[in-house]
């Protein structure tokens, strides 16, 4: 556990107030300091200024601009043929050579990005890597001169609920602001924000423009990137979420290493959260863990010996309670890393070492293959594989054919099929290849998945 500057200051103040002196064994700078609430009025007056002084210079303002051809109505009313839109957010310098971390939604689809430091220096920036799944983007400042302030990424995950934190950013474009609060929850996965992140929840005020800013511990280190709020009004309501530093570091390492995408390994298993009823049937004292319902053939989990019915309770010592938590823990590792999976099997707890791997298949297969005959002639598609399914935000265990293109006036186009539709069944049988679609006849029944909804219809 780290010894924070605030803890040292509080200890000195308590000594001055006549509190008992630490023993010799406790005097070392690196001695573990217990967490404790303020004991008197003097401690309540302790200032966060030393933490802010160290951390704030590395937090930057990001302004982004997009220019696009205006639609006829816009041109008619404004006389302008080009329409501009922009966004304002925050970011954090994490390397002295000008590497900045922010949220993907701050810079997504933007063409011009400008970064302003706290000391008013300005730099143009380019996107090294944008990871939509984690909502983290990594920027490179151009023309960096002199030393840049840097915030250290602390990925040790030592935070506890109740720890003090600061949120530093640039809300509303008014300049840098600092708010304080506590860690109100950890490992929040069922937020609807992402299926591959496990968020730090905080009650520190996070407002529009704070996106991409820093969640800072009492050592001035980066423990998360502020990403989202739950609010009915659009402003802070005391429920904010930050992407943990573990995932931030993974995205930064991928970007600096030259990758254009974050390769998330998988364990090749999926399951359901253990409910109260399941916990009782398994003799568990409380609902905890993920009960495996499917194991991918020849996947990492299968090779390690995981089986359907096993209950995964932890990965590398971190508690697992749902599929999102498992995806996050495994996704922060690199392909071929070994993870320790703690399971409950036949009433006994055991640990299995599994080597995680990249999802099999091609995540970017291009336009795919054309269907040349039958009722679906004119359709272009590609057989779904785990890597492609994951990139599209779907279940890697799903099979089917993804529609990648449609010939004009073809039957598939006329009946309303669209690119990115997933054809999962033909006449009740699984659709697993483009070649099989060439044998589809008029009158056949198609089942597709579109936007998470399953639709069934019959060809004319």
């Amino acid at each position: 556990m780290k010894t924070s500057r605030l803890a040292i200051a509080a200890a000195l103040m308590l000594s001055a107030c006549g509190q008992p002196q630490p023993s010799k064994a406790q005097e070392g700078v690196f001695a573990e300091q217990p967490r404790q609430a303020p004991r008197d009025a003097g401690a309540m007056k302790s200032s966060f200024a030393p933490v802010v002084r160290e951390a704030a210079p590395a937090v930057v303002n990001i302004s982004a601009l997009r220019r696009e051809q205006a639609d006829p109505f816009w041109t008619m009313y404004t006389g302008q043929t080009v329409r501009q839109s922009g966004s304002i957010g925050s970011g954090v310098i994490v390397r002295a050579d000008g590497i900045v971390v922010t949220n993907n939604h701050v810079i997504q689809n933007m063409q011009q990005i400008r970064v302003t430091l706290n000391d008013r220096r300005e730099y143009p920036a380019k996107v090294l890597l944008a990871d939509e799944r984690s909502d983290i983007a990594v920027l490179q400042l151009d023309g960096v001169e002199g030393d840049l302030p840097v915030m250290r990424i602390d990925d040790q995950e030592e935070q506890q609920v109740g720890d003090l934190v600061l949120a530093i950013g640039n809300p509303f474009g008014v300049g840098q602001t600092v708010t304080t609060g506590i860690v109100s929850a950890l490992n929040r996965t069922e937020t609807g924000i992402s299926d591959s992140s496990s968020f730090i929840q905080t009650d520190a005020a996070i407002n529009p423009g704070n996106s991409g800013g820093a969640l800072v511990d009492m050592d001035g280190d980066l423990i998360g990137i502020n990403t989202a709020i739950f609010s009915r009004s659009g402003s802070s309501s005391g429920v904010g979420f930050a992407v943990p530093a573990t995932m931030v570091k993974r995205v930064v390492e991928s970007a600096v290493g030259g990758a254009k995408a974050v390769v998330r390994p998988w364990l090749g298993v999926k399951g359901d959260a253990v409910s109260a009823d399941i916990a009782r049937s398994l003799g568990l004292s409380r609902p905890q863990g993920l009960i495996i319902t499917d194991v991918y053939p020849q996947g990492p989990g299968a090779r390690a010996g995981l089986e359907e019915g096993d209950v995964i309770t932890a990965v590398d010592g971190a508690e697992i309670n749902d599929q999102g938590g498992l995806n996050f823990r495994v996704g922060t590792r690199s392909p071929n890393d070994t993870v320790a999976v703690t399971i409950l099997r036949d009433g006994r707890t055991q640990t299995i070492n599994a080597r995680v791997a990249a999802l099999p298949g091609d995540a970017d297969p291009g336009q795919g293959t054309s269907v040349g005959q039958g009722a679906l002639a004119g359709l272009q598609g590609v057989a779904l594989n785990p890597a492609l399914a994951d990139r599209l935000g779907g279940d890697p265990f799903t099979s089917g054919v993804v529609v990648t293109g449609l010939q004009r006036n073809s039957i598939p186009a006329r009946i309303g099929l669209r690119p990115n539709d997933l054809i999962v069944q033909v006449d009740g049988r699984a659709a697993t290849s483009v070649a099989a679609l060439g044998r589809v006849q008029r009158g056949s029944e198609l089942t597709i998945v579109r936007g998470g909804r399953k639709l069934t219809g019959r060809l004319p």
Side-chain angles (χ1 to χ4, degrees):
M1 184 183 301
K2 298 178 300 178
T3 304
S4 70
R5 296 174 184 81
L6 196 63
I8 295 172
L12 291 174
M13 292 179 66
L14 290 173
S15 296
C17 293
Q19 297 295 325
Q21 296 296 312
S23 66
K24 292 292 183 181
Q26 296 174 318
E27 287 181 346
V29 173
F30 298 104
E32 184 171 316
Q33 301 293 326
R35 289 172 167 83
Q36 58 183 11
R39 295 181 179 179
D40 55 27
M44 290 293 291
K45 294 179 181 179
S46 297
S47 173
F48 294 108
V51 183
V52 175
R53 236 186 341 263
E54 175 156 336
V59 179
V60 300
N61 169 252
I62 296 176
S63 58
L65 185 66
R66 178 176 67 234
R67 290 187 176 89
E68 55 190 356
Q69 192 68 32
D71 60 68
F73 290 102
W74 176 265
T75 301
M76 181 172 64
Y77 283 106
T78 66
Q80 300 173 352
T81 58
V82 176
R83 189 171 185 173
Q84 289 192 166
S85 59
S87 69
I88 296 177
S90 307
V92 185
I93 304 172
V94 294
R95 283 178 42 134
D97 56 354
I99 297 296
V100 174
V101 177
T102 186
N103 280 144
N104 176 67
H105 73 258
V106 171
I107 55 85
Q108 191 170 29
N109 299 322
M110 295 297 167
Q111 297 159 345
Q112 295 181 3
I113 302 171
R114 194 151 196 90
V115 174
T116 304
L117 275 61
N118 199 28
D119 62 9
R120 307 180 82 174
R121 283 183 286 174
E122 292 187 13
Y123 297 96
K126 62 182 179 182
V127 179
L128 289 185
L129 191 155
D131 184 50
E132 190 171 357
R133 293 279 298 278
S134 64
D135 197 20
I136 295 294
V138 180
L139 311 180
Q140 172 68 68
L141 303 185
D142 290 335
V144 173
E145 297 179 0
D147 294 331
L148 295 179
V150 173
M151 190 180 298
R152 192 178 78 89
I153 300 175
D154 179 5
D155 64 340
Q156 299 303 303
E157 296 186 289
E158 296 175 332
Q159 295 79 42
Q160 296 180 21
V161 174
D163 281 355
L164 287 167
V165 288
L166 303 179
I168 308 178
N170 195 298
F172 311 112
V174 298
Q176 194 173 88
T177 64
V178 181
T179 55
T180 183
I182 62 169
V183 173
S184 53
L186 294 167
N187 304 318
R188 288 294 198 209
T189 54
E190 297 179 352
T191 60
I193 302 170
S194 169
D195 65 347
S196 62
S197 206
S198 181
F199 296 93
I200 300 171
Q201 181 179 306
T202 178
D203 70 344
I206 298 174
N207 293 292
N210 266 127
S211 290
L215 189 67
V216 178
D217 67 9
M218 291 298 101
D219 285 308
D221 293 336
L222 180 71
I223 62 169
I225 292 293
N226 297 320
T227 294
I229 57 173
F230 276 172
S231 172
R232 297 181 184 274
S233 63
S235 59
S236 175
S237 297
V239 185
F241 297 99
V243 178
T246 309
M247 179 59 75
V248 174
K249 187 174 181 179
R250 177 85 173 86
V251 179
V252 170
E253 288 175 345
S254 297
V256 173
K260 297 303 179 186
V262 179
V263 178
R264 286 181 174 82
W266 76 329
L267 193 56
V269 302
K270 70 174 182 177
D272 298 322
V274 172
S275 64
D277 289 339
I278 294 175
R280 279 192 293 270
S281 70
L282 295 174
L284 297 175
S285 60
R286 63 184 178 92
Q288 191 258 316
L290 178 81
I291 185 165
I292 297 176
T293 58
D294 205 350
V295 179
Y296 194 82
Q298 301 303 312
R303 291 195 298 269
L306 293 175
E307 303 172 358
E308 291 182 24
D310 289 343
V311 177
I312 298 177
T313 58
V315 172
D316 289 334
E319 186 173 292
I320 299 297
N321 284 308
D322 52 29
Q323 188 71 47
L326 178 64
N327 292 345
F328 172 76
R329 284 294 154 199
V330 176
T332 57
R333 304 302 296 266
S334 298
N336 297 318
D337 280 356
T338 297
V339 297
V341 184
T342 304
I343 65 168
L344 181 67
R345 177 186 292 172
D346 298 329
R348 296 172 55 194
T349 298
Q350 57 182 287
T351 298
I352 292 178
N353 291 322
R355 179 173 291 182
V356 297
L359 280 79
D362 188 351
D364 187 13
Q367 288 300 309
T369 306
S370 295
V371 178
Q373 59 185 3
L376 294 181
L379 177 147
Q380 285 182 306
V382 62
L384 196 65
N385 59 65
L388 178 58
D390 184 67
R391 184 178 71 80
L392 296 175
D395 181 358
F397 283 74
T398 303
S399 62
V401 176
V402 180
V403 178
T404 57
L406 295 161
Q407 186 178 325
R408 238 176 125 186
N409 297 322
S410 65
I411 292 176
R414 291 204 304 270
I415 66 173
L417 286 177
R418 305 173 187 171
N420 294 324
D421 282 348
L422 176 65
I423 301 173
V424 292
Q425 287 184 339
V426 177
D427 291 329
R429 295 187 298 272
T432 57
S433 68
V434 178
L437 298 185
R439 297 188 289 271
V440 175
Q441 301 300 314
R442 290 175 180 270
S444 291
E445 184 181 77
L446 289 186
T447 300
I448 70 170
V449 175
R450 175 186 294 164
R453 296 176 56 207
K454 184 175 283 190
L455 306 171
T456 299
R458 193 168 292 278
L459 291 168

